[in-house]
Amino acid sequence: MKPGAGSSHAERCPAMTPAGPAWPRLRVLWALWSLLAVLLSPWRLGAVEDNQECTWQVVLNQFETVGKNHGSDRFFNQEPLDTVNSLLGLLVDSPIDLNEKYMGFPYYLKINYSCKGEASEALVRKGHLMGLKPVVLVTFQSSVNINHWKLEQLQIQMEAAPFRSKAEQCDAEEVCVMSWYVPMPIKNGSVVMHVDVSSNGLGPFIPNKRFQVNINGFLEREQDDKLKFTVGNELFNLLPRYFVNVSSRPLWCTVGQTPVLILGGIPEEKSVLLTDTSFKDFFLVELSIDSCWVGSFYCPKASFTSTIYDAIATESTLFIRQNQLVYYFTGTYITLHQSNHGSERWVRVLANECIKKLCPVYFHGNGSEYIMALTSGKHEGYFHFGTITDGRVSFEMLPRQQSVCKWIQVVVCSIIWATYIADDYNMLLLVEVEDNSTRKYFQVANYDVVTDELAIFYAIPEFIPDARGLEFLMILGTESYTNFSMVPKGMSYNPYNNLLFIWGNFLLQSYDSENFIYLADFPKELSIKYLVNSFHGDIAIVTETEEIWYLLEGSYRVYKLFPSKGWEVYISLQMMQQSSLYAPNETMVTLFYQDNNLYQLVYLVNSQQSELVKRLVPVEQLLMYQQLSNRYFLQRQGSHLTLSFTNLCPFTVMHLRDLPNPQIYTRQERYRAKPPRVLEPSGFHTENSLAVYQGLIYYLLWLHSQYEKPYAYADPVHHSTWWKNKKQDQDYYFYLASNWQSAGNVHIDVDNYKKIYDLSAEYELPERIFLDKGSSYSFSIFLTVRSHSFKSQPELGNSFQLQNEVDLGVVLADPGCTEAVVKQKVPTNRNSVLFWVMLRDKSFCLNQGVSGHYLMKTSMLVKVVGSAGYCFQNTIHGPRMQGNLMMPVFIGCPPGKRLAFDITYTLEYNRLQNKHYFDCLHLDPEMPCFLFRDIFYPFFLIQDLVTGDSGSFQGSYVLKVVGGGPTLDTIREYSEEEIYRFNSPLDNTYSLIWTTKNTTTTEDSAFNIMSHQSLGIEC
């Protein structure tokens, strides 16, 4: 099939206009819009009636302010509190270890819920009396620096405890105002946390809700106990001139790793918007920078402005550009850095350079984050490559040998955009070239950061192609062109599916960076200002005229979301409901994705007041409204006309089945913890019982960090609970609690604190999966299809075979590394079809490696042919698009696995082989002793800390002594020279620490290769 064949453009019929004067058509159209509003409202109104539009509310409270209705605290304190140890020390005859020191976290989460039209206090009391208990799931995001912090997917699930408010006088016998509280845990190596709140299934129905709870390292406490920003002074007046008629700007950050976001673009002000909650709330801060401007012959600047044009946030560092100057500020994050690297003031970098633009790098790699600064003036044709590791910033000017202009053999050129692919150490440069006739053309160059080599891999056409009514056009060089010049402005790259976009007054896409497709739905009269990528299959486009367009990856059609007929219908419905998120006059500030949903930050101008709000862009609803508005027709039945709609979706219902248990693929480690039981008739907790809850959660996570070291000593039996020394007394503790004799009036149930290994699959694909070498992931897709999607196919023997016309496609980003198998089954008389899908790693792309390190990003896209933009499913959260499933995949040794020294079996085997028993005078369970005269036989385990599986390591390994000393206190790491002398059989300095009778060595014979069948080690 030729590109564009069978497209909706080719098959779309012109709109039919009824005969007669113009006013009947207007009346029909107005009737249509009214009918649309009525037709589309009932489902939503029904949902409102069922759940009363109830929603969870979560705020952060300090340890000292529990029970006080004073609002929310800022999350900046990262030090554990020594306030709970004395309380837990009083809990005699309980399963805790009184010899341990228990710490607490500085914050709690205060949880309520509200419904429209009802007071929150009454609702919470009602829910509590009905048995409602919020369940809180905290997910810790691993640090960028995987060389310092272990990559792990850690979660802890907690049940919130009811607590009576102390802030108000209460005449009731039991309770007037109450809330639920749960400890807000902190984990070393994590500054970004997701908090998912759900119900325990009792009481009113409240949809699950996710909150961003991030540590703000740009705050400090003053002597008067007030908080202030370290980056500048907070302003409290959002003036209309800051936002009205001001162009929107992109929100740039490291995806999924940034606790604090920064947004500039406020005209003639050195102020920015800061948020640590993804703009659920925010701050206007005037930055404490000098705002100097240095113009010179090598940095031509026509004017000066205070505006912060480029702003980029990374895990711990903020970057800004003002005029040609670049600054950075590193926050105080003691949970990330080995020591405090926080900045005292803004640091100016590249002081002698003329920087015209900062370019973001959305994904970290190799333990670092990156940023690029494009130059003009004397260093035109070069760029500065910034690396951020553990809060330390360094820049290098690239290319190293010569400028890009000399590499491509031109006199005048300019780099207008740069995209870095960290996993490949590869840079894509969008270069503008001006020839002797002052004609400008554009090229895309590929620069290798390691080899310092550059090559042109694509020349952008000078003019926009003539698609001749097609949705897309493959650029082959033989197509005809319009007289509109192609003016590229930037590039966007998705490392999961290798999809590269070049954008400007056009949109080009490529899956291999060689063959490009022109997407003709985007008008050539418009110009793209920036792209917003969800990196899960969705792309939003913002034009210079503030229009919003949408593209679903894997398809070629570009949809206009705003302004559009669908937007008009949606706004009409919002006005009917008197929504506070919309106003007649509004200005979009930025557009961004969060949790795969598209959001706007909008400045609303109302008659009463003006405000800045974050609101959801209902992409699915807008597409559905537009589909209905474009796919209707009037049909005469008797004496009247009836309105009918055409549904282009090839199926009616789509379900995922046979999903495997998720943990082995998602690598999520989850702990479950419930609050201690309070021995009080009302069941309400006190400050002391909440403090005990804090101490138990802290100790549970501390034990997790101690046990789950990347490489450690371990027993073959994977631990399942930290109460193993107290569990035999569990019945006694329960007896004390049953007789109200427990110390401190709290009872700690040992079964309420454990690790979960058997999570059940949800009814959707995981957010991402990890595939080990040679492993596979499979599931089924069940489609209920329309009757016209089947036909009977005659076969031999006068029988008929039911044929399905609904097709399923699987697109692999890296078919050389993964493969997919799809099998179809058509059940009889069910108007349905079942597809079985399996994704498998081919074992070609990655070898043995460190757990969680150097993983390869790839993806699988499963799509029902013809469903893109046409298929929707109603959910409690509104319509959801169906038919396109994009799942990121990581290939390599997954996180959560480790090689551990098998103490138990090693001791037993050595005792049997050497015919005698020997151990330390002072036994240490983590450091056994062996006699140097004996032959030493070491054994290792491969342990899966996610699933609890453990087995003997049967592979080969190279054993090296990499450190040592006379005593434990004097152990040091050896140098590379010492490691060679102490371990290599080729050493001739008589420095060998150990030898073996094995003859297998590495290729250079420098080191011995060992296995579980080795002949042992001799000292």
Side-chain angles (χ1 to χ4, degrees):
M1 181 180 292
K2 296 180 180 180
S7 68
S8 58
H9 282 282
E11 297 178 357
R12 188 175 299 146
C13 298
M16 303 299 293
T17 304
W23 64 268
R25 173 171 173 79
L26 289 176
R27 184 162 51 185
V28 169
L29 288 177
W30 277 111
L32 171 63
W33 293 121
S34 301
L35 182 58
L36 274 175
V38 173
L39 289 176
L40 298 172
S41 293
W43 178 88
R44 180 170 177 82
L45 294 176
V48 170
E49 184 178 353
D50 291 339
N51 62 29
Q52 302 176 339
E53 289 194 353
C54 296
T55 182
W56 293 109
Q57 296 174 340
V58 171
V59 296
L60 197 72
N61 280 177
Q62 293 186 57
F63 197 94
E64 300 82 7
T65 57
V66 171
K68 300 177 182 178
N69 301 326
H70 76 293
S72 178
D73 293 308
R74 307 313 309 176
F75 198 167
F76 84 100
N77 188 2
Q78 304 162 53
E79 295 279 2
L81 302 180
D82 188 12
T83 56
V84 303
N85 191 58
S86 57
L87 290 173
L88 273 84
L90 300 176
L91 301 184
V92 295
D93 287 334
S94 67
I96 67 171
D97 188 351
L98 299 179
N99 295 320
E100 294 286 352
K101 184 174 182 180
Y102 294 87
M103 306 289 284
F105 302 106
Y107 298 101
Y108 288 93
L109 291 176
K110 176 184 175 182
I111 304 171
N112 290 318
Y113 75 96
S114 62
C115 305
K116 278 191 175 181
E118 294 192 42
S120 178
E121 292 85 358
L123 285 171
V124 173
R125 288 198 303 269
K126 177 182 176 182
H128 172 66
L129 295 174
M130 296 174 67
L132 174 64
K133 292 182 180 180
V135 178
V136 178
L137 180 66
V138 178
T139 302
F140 300 94
Q141 178 64 49
S142 292
S143 172
V144 165
N145 191 353
I146 59 175
N147 300 314
H148 182 196
W149 301 105
K150 184 181 68 169
L151 177 63
E152 61 180 355
Q153 319 293 315
L154 181 62
Q155 297 177 322
I156 182 167
Q157 178 181 304
M158 298 170 288
E159 185 182 277
F163 189 89
R164 280 180 288 212
S165 173
K166 302 182 297 183
E168 300 177 7
Q169 293 294 329
C170 180
D171 297 327
E173 182 178 352
E174 289 295 340
V175 60
C176 288
V177 180
M178 62 159 289
S179 300
W180 291 280
Y181 285 87
V182 69
M184 180 60 219
I186 300 175
K187 172 183 171 295
N188 283 337
S190 181
V191 293
V192 174
M193 280 79 75
H194 297 156
V195 174
D196 294 285
V197 183
S198 59
S199 167
N200 64 342
L202 301 177
F205 175 75
I206 310 172
N208 301 350
K209 190 172 182 180
R210 170 168 287 190
F211 298 86
Q212 296 280 342
V213 183
N214 302 330
I215 299 177
N216 192 331
F218 303 93
L219 290 169
E220 65 179 2
R221 191 177 296 279
E222 295 183 300
Q223 293 182 351
D224 58 359
D225 212 34
K226 292 183 179 180
L227 293 180
K228 61 168 289 188
F229 282 95
T230 55
V231 296
N233 299 315
E234 184 179 358
L235 305 178
F236 299 95
N237 192 6
L238 293 175
L239 300 178
R241 71 176 181 85
Y242 293 166
F243 306 103
V244 175
N245 298 323
V246 176
S247 177
S248 70
R249 48 276 194 192
L251 183 65
W252 287 339
C253 64
T254 307
V255 174
Q257 300 290 153
T258 310
V260 177
L261 301 175
I262 181 172
L263 186 66
I266 298 176
E268 301 305 325
E269 298 288 341
K270 57 178 183 179
S271 301
V272 296
L273 293 173
L274 286 180
T275 177
D276 51 24
T277 58
S278 293
F279 289 104
K280 180 176 178 286
D281 52 31
F282 52 85
F283 306 93
L284 179 65
V285 180
E286 183 183 43
L287 303 182
S288 53
I289 56 175
D290 47 20
S291 297
C292 63
W293 172 55
V294 181
S296 64
F297 70 93
Y298 66 84
C299 189
K301 284 285 183 180
S303 61
F304 165 81
T305 177
S306 297
T307 307
I308 306 297
Y309 278 113
D310 298 331
I312 301 175
T314 65
E315 186 177 48
S316 61
T317 306
L318 305 178
F319 292 86
I320 61 168
R321 179 183 67 88
Q322 184 192 51
N323 300 307
Q324 86 281 14
L325 308 178
V326 177
Y327 300 84
Y328 77 84
F329 196 106
T330 299
T332 301
Y333 287 104
I334 60 175
T335 60
L336 282 181
H337 308 143
Q338 291 181 339
S339 59
N340 183 14
H341 300 331
S343 303
E344 295 182 358
R345 62 184 65 87
W346 285 94
V347 180
R348 182 180 169 188
V349 291
L350 307 175
N352 297 321
E353 299 293 333
C354 185
I355 305 302
K356 62 181 179 182
K357 183 188 289 290
L358 295 181
C359 291
V361 178
Y362 293 107
F363 290 91
H364 62 91
N366 311 307
S368 299
E369 296 168 282
Y370 306 96
I371 187 174
M372 288 167 292
L374 306 185
T375 63
S376 62
K378 66 176 182 179
H379 285 147
E380 189 80 65
Y382 291 90
F383 63 93
H384 292 271
F385 183 50
T387 303
I388 308 101
T389 305
D390 264 349
R392 294 187 173 92
V393 179
S394 62
F395 279 92
E396 180 184 11
M397 190 170 74
L398 300 174
R400 301 180 185 93
Q401 299 180 34
Q402 56 187 358
S403 70
V404 172
C405 305
K406 290 184 179 180
W407 268 107
I408 61 178
Q409 299 179 354
V410 298
V411 177
V412 180
C413 76
S414 177
I415 304 173
I416 60 177
W417 194 267
T419 297
Y420 182 57
I421 308 172
D423 293 340
D424 300 332
Y425 301 93
N426 191 37
M427 194 85 64
L428 302 180
L429 305 174
L430 182 57
V431 184
E432 179 184 10
V433 180
E434 185 174 336
D435 59 17
N436 296 331
S437 61
T438 69
R439 182 179 64 91
K440 293 183 179 180
Y441 59 95
F442 300 87
Q443 296 178 327
V444 181
N446 184 9
Y447 173 71
D448 192 307
V449 176
V450 177
T451 63
D452 194 35
E453 294 181 354
L454 184 142
I456 296 294
F457 75 86
Y458 186 68
I460 297 175
E462 186 175 356
F463 296 99
I464 292 179
D466 185 0
R468 301 183 183 275
L470 301 178
E471 283 186 352
F472 65 93
L473 187 67
M474 180 73 74
I475 304 297
L476 300 174
T478 59
E479 55 279 344
S480 58
Y481 291 87
T482 67
N483 57 1
F484 283 82
S485 298
M486 265 193 169
V487 184
K489 291 186 175 180
M491 298 183 295
S492 176
Y493 180 79
N494 188 340
Y496 291 111
N497 56 14
N498 306 322
L499 188 57
L500 172 66
F501 284 95
I502 305 176
W503 47 267
N505 60 340
F506 62 92
L507 199 57
L508 291 177
Q509 76 172 25
S510 173
Y511 282 97
D512 58 6
S513 300
E514 295 180 5
N515 302 293
F516 283 83
I517 297 173
Y518 169 64
L519 303 183
D521 273 352
F522 185 77
K524 54 184 176 296
E525 295 80 12
L526 298 177
S527 181
I528 298 175
K529 181 163 52 175
Y530 57 92
L531 254 63
V532 185
N533 200 325
S534 72
F535 299 103
H536 276 78
D538 307 272
I539 290 180
I541 302 166
V542 179
T543 69
E544 295 288 354
T545 56
E546 303 297 342
E547 293 185 6
I548 302 176
W549 293 68
Y550 172 77
L551 172 66
L552 187 65
E553 291 183 0
S555 67
Y556 303 104
R557 187 173 180 186
V558 187
Y559 301 90
K560 185 178 182 180
L561 299 182
F562 172 82
S564 65
K565 288 183 179 180
W567 185 265
E568 292 175 8
V569 175
Y570 181 76
I571 288 296
S572 300
L573 295 174
Q574 295 302 312
M575 293 302 179
M576 290 171 57
Q577 298 179 11
Q578 299 180 343
S579 173
S580 60
L581 299 177
Y582 297 85
N585 298 319
E586 57 184 41
T587 301
M588 183 172 72
V589 179
T590 190
L591 191 73
F592 60 96
Y593 275 99
Q594 176 190 334
D595 298 328
N596 300 328
N597 291 316
L598 186 61
Y599 289 91
Q600 279 179 309
L601 189 64
V602 183
Y603 187 74
L604 305 179
V605 180
N606 297 307
S607 56
Q608 295 84 7
Q609 63 176 3
S610 300
E611 58 180 339
L612 198 61
V613 300
K614 171 188 176 182
R615 71 187 185 196
L616 179 70
V617 179
V619 175
E620 290 83 0
Q621 285 181 279
L622 298 178
L623 294 179
M624 187 170 64
Y625 295 166
Q626 288 181 211
Q627 178 181 332
L628 292 174
S629 65
N630 294 330
R631 302 287 179 178
Y632 72 92
F633 58 92
L634 298 173
Q635 185 177 9
R636 181 171 296 279
Q637 291 186 355
S639 60
H640 61 277
L641 296 176
T642 60
L643 187 63
S644 300
F645 298 91
T646 301
N647 194 332
L648 298 181
C649 182
F651 59 87
T652 57
V653 179
M654 175 177 177
H655 293 297
L656 296 184
R657 294 183 172 181
D658 305 321
L659 289 164
N661 289 339
Q663 286 176 285
I664 190 174
Y665 297 103
T666 63
R667 312 306 298 166
Q668 289 284 3
E669 297 183 70
R670 182 179 295 185
Y671 287 90
R672 179 188 292 145
K674 292 184 179 181
R677 174 188 163 196
V678 290
L679 305 182
E680 182 184 336
S682 66
F684 285 103
H685 280 252
T686 64
E687 291 95 332
N688 288 347
S689 63
L690 286 180
V692 171
Y693 198 12
Q694 282 266 17
L696 296 175
I697 297 295
Y698 184 95
Y699 192 62
L700 179 63
L701 293 179
W702 179 81
L703 285 172
H704 164 83
S705 66
Q706 295 301 305
Y707 183 82
E708 307 211 359
K709 298 174 183 177
Y711 298 95
Y713 301 104
D715 289 323
V717 179
H718 189 61
H719 86 304
S720 60
T721 176
W722 54 287
W723 303 103
K724 55 185 179 181
N725 296 327
K726 296 281 187 174
K727 191 147 186 167
Q728 65 271 18
D729 300 325
Q730 182 176 359
D731 293 338
Y732 171 66
Y733 303 137
F734 179 76
Y735 168 79
L736 291 178
S738 301
N739 290 275
W740 301 77
Q741 298 297 318
S742 298
N745 286 327
V746 295
H747 168 59
I748 301 172
D749 188 345
V750 298
D751 290 329
N752 287 339
Y753 299 83
K754 59 183 178 182
K755 196 171 186 179
I756 305 174
Y757 298 107
D758 55 353
L759 289 177
S760 300
E762 303 288 344
Y763 294 101
E764 58 185 6
L765 291 180
E767 183 178 354
R768 61 177 177 261
I769 65 170
F770 296 81
L771 284 184
D772 205 345
K773 188 174 182 179
S775 61
S776 61
Y777 180 86
S778 63
F779 60 96
S780 299
I781 299 177
F782 183 83
L783 297 175
T784 302
V785 300
R786 306 183 188 281
S787 58
H788 60 74
S789 298
F790 289 98
K791 65 179 181 180
S792 297
Q793 182 72 30
E795 291 188 349
L796 295 177
N798 297 326
S799 63
F800 288 86
Q801 176 67 34
L802 199 60
Q803 297 289 324
N804 169 46
E805 294 185 348
V806 176
D807 296 321
L808 186 77
V810 177
V811 181
L812 300 179
D814 298 281
C817 301
T818 58
E819 62 180 350
V821 178
V822 180
K823 295 181 181 180
Q824 174 184 306
K825 180 180 179 182
V826 181
T828 306
N829 297 328
R830 293 190 61 182
N831 279 354
S832 60
V833 59
L834 182 69
F835 293 98
W836 179 78
V837 181
M838 183 185 68
L839 175 69
R840 180 166 50 210
D841 172 54
K842 286 183 170 182
S843 304
F844 290 160
C845 293
L846 289 174
N847 295 319
Q848 180 175 304
V850 179
S851 174
H853 286 224
Y854 309 111
L855 300 172
M856 177 183 172
K857 296 184 182 73
T858 185
S859 68
M860 174 182 67
L861 173 64
V862 180
K863 62 178 183 178
V864 180
V865 177
S867 65
Y870 296 122
C871 299
F872 306 94
Q873 177 190 21
N874 281 333
T875 70
I876 193 64
H877 299 290
R880 186 180 66 174
M881 200 172 300
Q882 287 195 119
N884 265 52
L885 302 172
M886 192 271 195
M887 183 172 66
V889 180
F890 291 86
I891 297 175
C893 185
K897 290 191 174 183
R898 70 174 181 180
L899 182 70
F901 180 40
D902 189 349
I903 296 177
T904 304
Y905 187 70
T906 299
L907 287 171
E908 180 182 349
Y909 188 85
N910 279 269
R911 190 178 303 123
L912 292 174
Q913 293 297 317
N914 295 312
K915 311 296 184 185
H916 65 85
Y917 173 83
F918 180 85
D919 207 337
C920 312
L921 294 177
H922 304 285
L923 296 180
D924 185 344
E926 290 196 357
M927 189 173 292
C929 295
F930 299 93
L931 186 61
F932 71 96
R933 289 193 297 265
D934 291 340
I935 297 178
F936 176 54
Y937 302 91
F939 292 92
F940 299 90
L941 292 171
I942 287 291
Q943 291 189 321
D944 192 328
L945 303 177
V946 176
T947 64
D949 295 334
S950 181
S952 175
F953 176 63
Q954 304 290 322
S956 301
Y957 60 93
V958 175
L959 183 66
K960 298 179 184 178
V961 179
V962 297
T967 63
L968 287 176
D969 297 331
T970 58
I971 288 179
R972 64 175 180 86
E973 293 185 4
Y974 294 148
S975 65
E976 290 295 327
E977 179 185 355
E978 288 175 317
I979 292 175
Y980 182 86
R981 288 195 295 112
F982 295 157
N983 296 274
S984 175
L986 300 181
D987 175 69
N988 55 11
T989 63
Y990 303 101
S991 302
L992 276 181
I993 294 178
W994 62 276
T995 61
T996 180
K997 294 180 180 179
N998 283 14
T999 58
T1000 308
T1001 63
T1002 56
E1003 292 184 1
D1004 57 1
S1005 301
F1007 298 100
N1008 292 299
I1009 296 179
M1010 310 288 291
S1011 73
H1012 70 290
Q1013 296 178 337
S1014 296
L1015 300 177
I1017 295 172
E1018 298 180 49
C1019 296

